[in-house]
Amino acid sequence: DEPVLLAELKPGRPQRYDWKSSCETWSVAFSPDGAWFAWSQGHCVVKLIPWPLGEAELGCKTSERKSRGGKAETLSCGAAKEKTLECGQIVWGLAFSAWPAAEDGDTDPACAMGLPCLVLATGLNDGQIKVWEVQTGHLLFSLLGHQDVVRDLSFAPNGSPILVSASRDKTLRVWDLSRDGRQVQVLSGHVQWVYCCSISPDCSMLCSAAGEKSALLWSMRSYTLIRRLEGHQSSVVSCDFSPDSALLVTASYDACVIMWDPYTGEQLRTLRHVPLHSTLDSSSEIHTSSLRSVCFSPEGLYLATVADDRLLRIWALEFRSPVAFAPMTNGLCCMYFPHGGFIATGTRDGHVQFWTAPRVLSSLKHLCRKALRTFLTTYQVLALPIPRKLKEFLTYRTF
């Protein structure tokens, strides 16, 4: 099924500044438990919105969502209330901490350290990183160290309060929120602006993408460079790991997504963004397919990409062509809902759109592969005394 637009949120009247303001939605994020959505709506403002969306958030613009049957369904509203974070600078990057709110009787690792159970980090235009407590909207930390725009942020998915930031100052920095936001490492190696950073779900690797033809892969244990991933013909601008850490995808201005084995550095597949049916474009102008963003679906069977040709594409791992696409305008970023079924996209106009995404029941084969690859590297799989075809399946050499 093609993605269906469920809702579109638009910022209110822009605030006036004496200096040039930016209205772009450079980043969107869902909290790991799926209870919150963060939207950098431009003009130095971040909205923290309870999920699922309620009528109060949708307002009179889009108070209902479309179903595939053509009927309208009202989105349910949670008990939490929307919050507005005034960041004071243009917001480029967003990231929720990986620890969800603790249940009764549970001991949450972050809460045990005296930290809030859910925080949001915002990367700003002046190089600051502001960290906010989600439940109250209070500012917890202002992390100083970067000398230019903080373009992207990534929390360690294992529940430890480790944050990695990527900046136009050509560095990545590692912060420990359990030590009052202390900077613990500076990673240097890029010669251009760093656009994106992504920590693998097993927390062993970090990938960074800059305005270069190669992406860099780092060890999260020693904070040293593992390898350069070379294969793109233009700037790499986005990257993401599969949920089992066995695959890495990079997206580039060369209109290609490359799927890598991060353990060996091998290129497994290239997905090329070729022009689709001309009826989708109402003008005769030819638009480039430069990619802006790529992300994996939560079960690891699909990818979503946003490109400058005004299309959201959905890809299945086993095919080289998109299985679904939808027209959208000026897309900059995309993010899957952590429990599947939805994709959020941000636009250059400061809007955020919510789309349906394919829902599939993972096969037993894929579930077994995902479970094994969560703790086995490619080299460990290849060393197993099992048939070659099974090794190829477990290492994604066959789709």
Side-chain angles (χ1 to χ4, degrees):
D1 293 335
E2 304 298 342
V4 174
L5 182 63
L6 298 176
E8 182 173 10
L9 303 183
K10 303 177 182 180
R13 180 178 299 174
Q15 300 178 28
R16 295 186 177 275
Y17 290 96
D18 293 334
W19 45 274
K20 180 182 178 182
S21 62
S22 176
C23 67
E24 294 91 352
T25 293
W26 288 107
S27 185
V28 294
F30 286 102
S31 63
D33 62 357
W36 290 91
F37 176 74
W39 165 31
S40 64
Q41 66 170 43
H43 305 288
C44 311
V45 172
V46 171
K47 289 286 188 181
L48 272 172
I49 303 173
W51 187 272
L53 294 176
E55 290 188 22
E57 285 75 37
L58 294 172
C60 60
K61 307 179 194 69
T62 315
S63 61
E64 296 176 326
R65 65 177 180 180
K66 300 175 183 177
S67 68
R68 289 190 179 89
K71 297 179 181 179
E73 303 169 345
T74 301
L75 296 174
S76 61
C77 184
K81 294 184 178 179
E82 175 184 310
K83 297 174 180 63
T84 299
L85 307 180
E86 299 282 353
C87 296
Q89 290 281 328
I90 297 168
V91 181
W92 292 81
L94 295 174
F96 281 99
S97 58
W99 50 87
E103 301 290 339
D104 291 340
D106 290 348
T107 301
D108 184 89
C111 297
M113 298 173 189
L115 289 169
C117 292
L118 187 64
V119 302
L120 175 73
T122 55
L124 306 181
N125 198 66
D126 62 356
Q128 278 193 83
I129 301 165
K130 290 187 176 181
V131 182
W132 310 79
E133 184 178 0
V134 171
Q135 296 298 330
T136 64
H138 293 158
L139 179 64
L140 296 174
F141 304 109
S142 290
L143 310 181
L144 305 176
H146 282 297
Q147 305 301 309
D148 208 333
V149 171
V150 177
R151 186 62 184 84
D152 196 24
L153 298 159
S154 182
F155 272 99
N158 63 356
S160 66
I162 296 297
L163 173 68
V164 175
S165 55
S167 171
R168 284 186 179 178
D169 66 10
K170 306 174 187 177
T171 70
L172 299 115
R173 294 172 192 253
V174 184
W175 314 84
D176 188 347
L177 299 192
S178 67
R179 301 165 69 182
D180 294 324
R182 178 179 175 182
Q183 179 178 289
V184 297
Q185 195 73 32
V186 178
L187 304 181
S188 302
H190 286 291
V191 296
Q192 299 291 339
W193 293 351
V194 189
Y195 289 114
C196 183
C197 60
S198 179
I199 301 175
S200 62
D202 65 4
C203 294
S204 67
M205 295 172 285
L206 167 71
C207 183
S208 58
E212 305 158 10
K213 296 180 181 179
S214 59
L216 301 188
L217 198 64
W218 310 82
S219 168
M220 279 297 290
R221 297 186 177 96
S222 62
Y223 298 122
T224 56
L225 182 64
I226 298 173
R227 64 171 53 87
R228 291 181 178 270
L229 300 174
E230 299 181 342
H232 284 290
Q233 302 304 308
S234 188
S235 301
V236 185
V237 294
S238 184
C239 58
D240 195 25
F241 284 93
S242 61
D244 58 6
S245 304
L247 295 173
L248 170 67
V249 288
T250 55
S252 166
Y253 286 157
D254 64 9
C256 291
V257 169
I258 296 181
M259 196 178 301
W260 310 82
D261 184 322
Y263 295 103
T264 65
E266 181 182 352
Q267 294 185 37
L268 302 181
R269 174 161 291 186
T270 299
L271 306 177
R272 304 184 187 281
H273 286 61
V274 298
L276 297 180
H277 201 279
S278 59
T279 57
L280 286 175
D281 195 342
S282 58
S283 70
S284 58
E285 181 184 356
I286 298 177
H287 296 272
T288 64
S289 296
S290 295
L291 279 150
R292 292 290 174 177
S293 184
V294 61
C295 62
F296 263 103
S297 63
E299 81 289 330
L301 289 172
Y302 290 93
L303 296 170
T305 58
V306 170
D308 281 347
D309 62 358
R310 301 188 292 182
L311 286 172
L312 166 68
R313 289 174 171 84
I314 310 294
W315 310 75
L317 287 191
E318 62 266 31
F319 300 119
R320 294 182 184 272
S321 298
V323 296
F325 53 88
M328 62 174 297
T329 304
N330 297 328
L332 290 176
C333 59
C334 59
M335 175 68 67
Y336 267 93
F337 181 61
H339 305 308
F342 304 100
I343 298 172
T345 57
T347 75
R348 194 173 289 279
D349 306 314
H351 300 186
V352 62
Q353 299 168 325
F354 299 97
W355 306 83
T356 58
R359 283 187 180 274
V360 294
L361 185 63
S362 298
S363 67
L364 183 59
K365 284 172 56 178
H366 176 67
L367 290 174
C368 291
R369 172 172 61 184
K370 185 177 174 183
L372 285 170
R373 290 311 310 271
T374 298
F375 64 90
L376 289 179
T377 69
T378 300
Y379 297 113
Q380 289 171 326
V381 170
L382 295 176
L384 294 174
I386 56 177
R388 179 176 59 85
K389 287 188 177 295
L390 188 52
K391 291 182 181 181
E392 290 175 351
F393 174 77
L394 291 176
T395 58
Y396 293 90
R397 267 60 180 178
T398 59
F399 292 96

